[in-house]
Amino acid sequence: MSNLLTVSPSPHIKNDQSVQQLMYGVVISLVPAFLVTLYVFGIGALITTVISIAACMLTEMLIQHYLIKTDITIRDGSAIVTGLLLAFNLPANLPWWMVLLGAVFAIGIGKMTYGGLGNNPFNPALVGRVFLLISFPVQMTSLPLPIASRMQYLDAATGATPLSLMKEGLRSGETVSGIMQQIPDHMQLFLGQMGGSLGEISALALLAGFAWMLYKRIVTWHIPVFTVATVFIFTGILWWANPDKNASPVFHILTGGVMLGAIYMATDLVTSPMTKAGMIIYAIGIGLITVIIRVFGAYPEGVAFAILIMNAFVPLINKFIKPTRFGKEVMHG
Amino acid sequence: MLKTFHKGGIHPPDSKLSAHQPIQELPVPGSVAVLLSQHMGAPAKVIVNKGDEVKAGQLIATGEGFLSAHVHASASGKVARIEDVMDASGYRRQAVFIDVAGDTWADGINCDTALDKEIRYNAAEILKRIADAGIVGMGGATFPTHVKLTIPRGKKAEYLVINGVECEPYLTADHSLMLEKGEEIMVGIQLLKKVLQVNTAYIGIENNKPDAIQQLSKLATAYDGIKVCALQVKYPQGGEKQLIQALLDREVPSGGLPVDVGVVAFNVGTVFAVYEAVQKNKPLVERVVTVTGKNLKQPANFKVRIGTPVSALVEAAGGMPENTGKIISGGPMMGKALSHADVPVVKGTSGILILPAEESLRPMIQPCVRCAKCVAVCPMGLEPYLLMPLSQQNLFDRLEAGHIMDCVECGSCSYTCPAGRPLLDFIRLGKSSVGKIIRSRKKT
């Protein structure tokens, strides 16, 4: 035996989970939702996704190389996840340069200004989405209709989403049951037959992705389950109090970004709390703020804002919600 | 649902390559190096000189002071020299080198293997025999057994806990001992119960050793107050605090000892040593060591004399594999990497693990992605992701407030971290500094 021995402290073995595997696991789990969006929105979904991912990776690479002059780490897959999730939060007919701008903002401002992977307090993809929503409110809210124009990109036929129909309808004094006539039934909503952002439409595909991530131990169930349950219970109470003025809880969890937000945006490892109890508080906060914005606010949708607001509370949650220790009672002497 | 501890824990692959290999007695080597510090506490004081003839089992160094243990010659022959040798931790420590000649045992030691179930001594005599035999905790902590058996004033032992968990991957020394020396272990438990004046002993064994559970359960029916408990497989269940919680649902308080919750715990290897010391008057001069590794020809369980060089064990298991990258004394989770194979076996050596070069290197360190997995797996409820940077920045007050001293160094955090961060390395550094600060504060 002529080779030198390695001498290092224990442990000497390591499980096979790496950051790359976590990130690519997220990418794989998004495949069903991506296939649904290709089917529903066609060419526009493809263009938006490709531009978003490419722009996110390129931005990270250029910043690492020219600005902070560090090793380029785009192979860790985190920029791909951000790009994919940003695209999933955008309309399929958004002009390509807006997608590009959103991606540059998401990575440049949302992630790299804080020092890159692991240091950003806010979910970069949502930072990009909210930046675009505030900068280009018209384009960000003219969402393409499902199936209608799969071979068209910028000139895709647009129409109201179930959530905006509900908001406008209630504002003009219609009853919920009247509005629901114009909206696809719950089964179609569950499968993704509705207008909306790229990746948020099919609850079924997103739940399949969630199951994969649980199986691969990428995320735990706490945040998604508590977020959706909070939205369900809060809207359920409102609906029970006045079913003419408030949409049903099932409608609320199947439309808009609740599923995408709860499963993918809220569970972002970097920007969510470190303890189970903290995760539950954070998830309940997201659910409550989402419903408050949807029902009482000006926007029809509030998931993105709710998650970003709760992201800001994460350091505070981590400071005060500590894991329960083994042997808490301290021996003196 | 089988019992287990409540918080954290991991499931590393079992890799018990040497399971069901019978315990083979390794021939006495040509020379042994018996370290004088094989236990926690002060090194033993050597009482032989260069050139002296010694017999196997003869006392060659006395443990003096409160925390120490006697050391005996593990083979007969001539004391060749008394000088420093590198131990498993990489420190140079004093050892007695014996050039082996024949295999003569000191007077009064009974070397036959016939089972002796008769308990002839009272508690004080048993305790004295255990102290005289130089027995220490053989699970790896090497705490002197006679000290552990001396219950501090004001405390009372209610239960005896016997650790047959062997949760470290690869290791099978305790498993093979339970299969082959079950009766002796039962007698050893009766002896310990007598010393501690307790009525009930629990033996905890993980469910990946069904044959050992069956074997000991069967034997235990012949004895009063010995209960065998199958446990879920989860690392670090062999940790004293975790095992006590798994078996008795009692939580040893932070900074406290098992006896604070009425429990005293021993490893099955220690129990067997107690049996030999009391019933056969045989000091602790040999032990079972697992020699294992994926590329090793014949992973095995050897009964070896203390002071045998590790290289002799590896040779007996088929020789050192070509692409060896790491030699570990102990298991892969808590064992120590050796810098060479001439380190002598000590009382606490439970296994020798040979890792190939490709499994020897650390993963690349990436930034913390705050995935919270280290918090989820920590069996003590600590926050490793936070303790590591605090330790890097020498923020000792905050480390202490973060209960760094509770860390049992099980390595679950480093094992789990997807970013490959050396969490435990830095926690150990911080723990050592904080420990010093706490001790100096107590002095003033």
Side-chain angles (χ1 to χ4, degrees):
Chain A
M1 199 190 59
S2 55
N3 48 335
L4 285 171
L5 294 172
T6 304
V7 178
S8 60
S10 64
H12 305 286
I13 48 173
K14 162 86 187 73
N15 73 0
D16 53 11
Q17 200 171 47
S18 65
V19 171
Q20 282 84 334
Q21 272 162 322
L22 290 177
M23 295 299 168
Y24 291 116
V26 174
V27 172
I28 291 167
S29 75
L30 284 166
V31 167
F34 184 61
L35 293 178
V36 170
T37 199
L38 280 185
Y39 174 75
V40 174
F41 297 124
I43 191 99
L46 184 66
I47 294 172
T48 307
T49 308
V50 169
I51 291 175
S52 176
I53 293 176
C56 280
M57 292 176 73
L58 199 66
T59 309
E60 181 157 322
M61 211 166 87
L62 293 174
I63 290 175
Q64 284 183 330
H65 189 71
Y66 290 106
L67 280 179
I68 47 183
K69 297 184 172 42
T70 163
D71 293 338
I72 291 171
T73 57
I74 52 164
R75 270 184 302 170
D76 65 24
S78 60
I80 300 175
V81 171
T82 301
L84 201 50
L85 287 176
L86 173 64
F88 274 30
N89 276 284
L90 301 176
N93 60 344
L94 196 70
W96 65 268
W97 58 270
M98 288 187 192
V99 180
L100 186 77
L101 207 56
V104 170
F105 195 86
I107 292 287
I109 308 295
K111 183 177 174 190
M112 300 313 287
T113 38
Y114 296 103
L117 180 62
N119 299 310
N120 49 300
F122 299 104
N123 182 310
L126 285 183
V127 169
R129 177 203 150 98
V130 168
F131 165 74
L132 290 175
L133 181 64
I134 293 169
S135 311
F136 311 104
V138 178
Q139 289 86 340
M140 282 293 287
T141 49
S142 348
L143 295 144
L145 287 169
I147 317 285
S149 40
R150 282 186 285 197
M151 291 315 288
Q152 285 133 300
Y153 167 40
L154 291 177
D155 49 355
T158 61
T161 62
L163 272 179
S164 54
L165 276 174
M166 183 64 70
K167 191 95 192 176
E168 292 308 316
L170 289 175
R171 204 171 275 162
S172 58
E174 290 178 62
T175 61
V176 168
S177 52
I179 301 165
M180 288 303 283
Q181 311 257 310
Q182 313 160 41
I183 291 171
D185 64 34
H186 284 164
M187 193 37 126
Q188 277 177 301
L189 294 179
F190 182 66
L191 295 174
Q193 299 279 335
M194 61 172 152
S197 299
L198 266 181
E200 70 184 19
I201 47 176
S202 171
L204 177 66
L206 292 168
L207 286 171
F210 181 42
W212 169 259
M213 289 203 293
L214 285 180
Y215 170 68
K216 283 286 179 186
R217 294 167 189 255
I218 295 168
V219 297
T220 59
W221 57 271
H222 303 77
I223 293 174
V225 169
F226 274 89
T227 303
V228 174
T230 305
V231 170
F232 190 87
I233 292 168
F234 192 6
T235 55
I237 292 168
L238 295 172
W239 177 68
W240 177 76
N242 190 349
D244 278 345
K245 286 282 161 209
N246 296 297
S248 79
V250 179
F251 171 85
H252 272 289
I253 63 169
L254 290 180
T255 56
V258 170
M259 287 291 172
L260 180 68
I263 296 171
Y264 287 100
M265 317 310 292
T267 56
D268 175 18
L269 300 174
V270 179
T271 57
S272 58
M274 299 298 283
T275 60
K276 299 282 178 282
M279 288 177 191
I280 291 169
I281 292 172
Y282 164 85
I284 292 174
I286 291 171
L288 290 178
I289 297 170
T290 300
V291 178
I292 289 169
I293 295 175
R294 278 189 177 185
V295 178
F296 306 106
Y299 282 105
E301 174 60 307
V303 175
F305 291 108
I307 294 172
L308 288 174
I309 289 168
M310 287 315 290
N311 281 168
F313 281 98
V314 166
L316 209 59
I317 292 173
N318 284 340
K319 189 173 163 69
F320 289 106
I321 309 295
K322 293 291 178 187
T324 30
R325 283 166 51 222
F326 185 103
K328 247 187 305 191
E329 184 196 333
V330 180
M331 288 299 295
H332 295 286
Chain B
M1 194 66 177
L2 292 172
K3 289 179 177 181
T4 187
F5 57 98
H6 306 337
K7 182 184 293 301
I10 56 171
H11 298 92
D14 248 1
S15 313
K16 305 266 190 188
L17 309 171
S18 52
H20 310 292
Q21 291 292 328
I23 300 172
Q24 299 172 47
E25 191 157 349
L26 210 65
V28 186
S31 157
V32 292
V34 183
L35 278 157
L36 300 178
S37 180
Q38 304 188 34
H39 47 262
M40 203 181 270
K45 295 246 162 32
V46 64
I47 55 167
V48 289
N49 295 306
K50 186 178 166 180
D52 286 1
E53 292 287 340
V54 293
K55 289 176 179 169
Q58 182 184 329
L59 186 68
I60 55 171
T62 55
E64 285 164 20
F66 171 65
L67 196 61
S68 191
H70 292 331
V71 173
H72 302 77
S74 59
S76 57
K78 193 190 254 181
V79 175
R81 55 191 195 279
I82 298 168
E83 61 178 39
D84 287 355
V85 63
M86 196 184 280
D87 74 356
S89 306
Y91 290 105
R92 300 197 74 80
R93 298 200 193 276
Q94 211 180 20
V96 175
F97 287 76
I98 301 169
D99 282 339
V100 179
D103 192 21
T104 356
W105 286 75
D107 298 337
I109 296 176
N110 182 351
C111 278
D112 72 46
T113 52
L115 179 69
D116 179 1
K117 291 166 92 162
E118 191 197 339
I119 293 174
R120 298 183 248 347
Y121 309 102
N122 65 29
E125 285 164 345
I126 296 172
L127 188 59
K128 179 163 187 314
R129 281 180 171 248
I130 290 170
D132 287 348
I135 296 178
V136 302
M138 289 170 77
T142 66
F143 191 84
T145 300
H146 64 280
V147 181
K148 211 176 189 180
L149 282 166
T150 313
I151 305 298
R153 197 164 300 163
K155 312 274 184 195
K156 192 179 162 357
E158 292 171 65
Y159 297 105
L160 174 64
V161 160
I162 305 301
N163 190 341
V165 171
E166 205 161 47
C167 60
E168 275 272 7
Y170 289 98
L171 300 189
T172 59
D174 290 349
H175 186 187
S176 58
L177 203 62
M178 287 188 282
L179 288 179
E180 293 183 31
K181 303 289 181 189
E183 284 277 12
E184 286 82 351
I185 290 169
M186 292 296 153
V187 178
I189 292 171
Q190 295 302 86
L191 294 168
L192 289 169
K193 276 164 69 182
K194 192 160 179 182
V195 178
L196 292 168
Q197 295 170 326
V198 302
N199 296 322
T200 317
Y202 286 90
I203 309 178
I205 307 174
E206 282 190 346
N207 204 30
N208 55 359
K209 297 179 265 295
D211 47 356
I213 295 168
Q214 204 184 2
Q215 162 88 345
L216 293 195
S217 304
K218 201 175 75 197
L219 294 173
T221 54
Y223 297 86
D224 281 340
I226 300 183
K227 291 176 186 159
V228 179
C229 221
L231 301 169
Q232 270 178 55
V233 179
K234 190 161 77 171
Y235 179 89
Q237 194 144 240
E240 218 169 41
K241 292 178 175 182
Q242 275 66 39
L243 179 60
I244 290 166
Q245 186 178 51
L247 289 171
L248 297 163
D249 204 8
R250 294 186 179 190
E251 222 172 279
V252 178
S254 173
L257 293 170
V259 74
D260 295 323
V261 292
V263 180
V264 182
F266 295 100
N267 178 269
V268 287
T270 315
V271 178
F272 179 69
V274 165
Y275 163 83
E276 288 211 305
V278 179
Q279 303 298 82
K280 303 281 183 178
N281 198 29
K282 191 172 175 184
L284 179 51
V285 294
E286 53 188 13
R287 66 156 298 148
V288 180
V289 179
T290 298
V291 184
T292 183
K294 282 178 187 129
N295 292 349
L296 209 59
K297 280 205 191 75
Q298 297 128 14
N301 302 300
F302 292 126
K303 189 164 116 184
V304 301
R305 298 291 170 89
I306 303 296
T308 307
V310 164
S311 52
L313 275 68
V314 178
E315 219 41 61
M320 191 67 77
E322 262 309 297
N323 65 338
T324 297
K326 209 183 238 182
I327 305 173
I328 297 161
S329 167
M333 289 302 298
M334 292 185 78
K336 293 189 168 104
L338 305 179
S339 55
H340 57 84
D342 296 324
V343 172
V345 166
V346 291
K347 293 172 182 176
T349 309
S350 48
I352 300 296
L353 168 61
I354 310 291
L355 287 185
E358 65 270 17
E359 286 179 34
S360 302
L361 299 176
R362 291 281 188 89
M364 193 180 72
I365 300 173
Q366 289 174 291
C368 171
V369 292
R370 307 174 74 80
C371 66
K373 291 180 199 293
C374 57
V375 179
V377 299
C378 179
M380 301 308 287
L382 306 180
E383 297 170 290
Y385 81 99
L386 207 57
L387 296 177
M388 174 171 162
L390 291 176
S391 173
Q392 285 171 314
Q393 294 164 45
N394 292 342
L395 296 169
F396 301 126
D397 292 352
R398 290 184 60 190
L399 284 172
E400 196 180 347
H403 307 284
I404 194 171
M405 296 311 288
D406 280 358
C407 174
V408 294
E409 305 186 20
C410 68
S412 297
C413 50
S414 300
Y415 173 84
T416 308
C417 181
R421 298 179 74 71
L423 296 159
L424 180 54
D425 293 7
F426 284 98
I427 291 173
R428 268 201 200 98
L429 282 176
K431 208 179 146 185
S432 126
S433 304
V434 173
K436 270 181 212 147
I437 291 168
I438 291 174
R439 280 194 297 278
S440 70
R441 198 163 52 208
K442 269 183 187 160
K443 269 181 211 147
T444 53

